[in-house]
Amino acid sequence: MYLAASAVVFAIYFANVALGAFANSAFLSDVGEMLVLFAASILFVVAILKKEADRDATDGS
């Protein structure tokens, strides 16, 4: 779930950058871009940590 949410948030960031580069119509400000990229990073880290915790739980470690 967190990994999919991270991908969606990153897709929003990528769409904003692509629109800004090719169509000159970005819909987020610089601070908005930073916050969206930060959210994608946090969601990705949470997904990886949960996946690692699940793996450790099944290994019995």
Side-chain angles (χ1 to χ4, degrees):
M1 178 176 124
Y2 289 104
L3 195 57
S6 173
V8 168
V9 173
F10 185 75
I12 292 169
Y13 171 77
F14 182 79
N16 183 63
V17 171
L19 281 173
F22 296 119
N24 201 16
S25 63
F27 52 89
L28 292 173
S29 66
D30 290 341
V31 175
E33 280 185 1
M34 178 202 60
L35 291 174
V36 168
L37 189 57
F38 181 69
S41 301
I42 293 298
L43 287 169
F44 182 77
V45 168
V46 169
I48 295 303
L49 289 175
K50 285 187 71 66
K51 192 169 292 246
E52 184 176 334
D54 290 343
R55 186 194 65 200
D56 288 345
T58 58
D59 288 346
S61 301

